[in-house]
Amino acid sequence: MLTISDKIMNKLINNLGEIIRWPKKPPEKEIIIKYLSTKFESDKKYTEKEINGIIDKYHLFNDIPLLRRELVSREFFAREDDGSVYWKIN
């Protein structure tokens, strides 16, 4: 039996692991950002360019800044005030 999270993932992520669209419902947004955060290593520092490259590989709706901001605002990532370095929060 599929969980609610599985149903949301199946609806919003294709079989290649790409996010199809940005959801409207807050719980769905949280699930999608949590999924995206799994594509990053925990003990690594990233430049904005590196973050953008990874995000670009895992979504189809062409809004890298939205997803980058969501990773930070939902506290899956932290960053330097100037945006020069990002890192995953465990």
Side-chain angles (χ1 to χ4, degrees), residues 18-64:
E18 300 164 317
I19 303 165
I20 299 165
R21 65 177 177 80
W22 184 238
K24 291 180 172 59
K25 297 177 184 175
E28 292 178 353
K29 291 177 181 180
E30 186 75 17
I31 289 168
I32 292 302
I33 290 301
K34 186 174 185 177
Y35 164 77
L36 183 59
S37 75
T38 67
K39 305 306 177 188
F40 295 88
E41 297 174 35
S42 293
D43 56 350
K44 182 176 178 183
K45 303 248 178 181
Y46 294 92
T47 65
E48 186 173 301
K49 185 176 181 178
E50 290 170 321
I51 293 279
N52 292 348
I54 293 168
I55 292 171
D56 191 41
K57 286 176 21 181
Y58 291 101
H59 88 293
L60 298 175
F61 57 91
N62 198 29
D63 199 342
I64 291 170

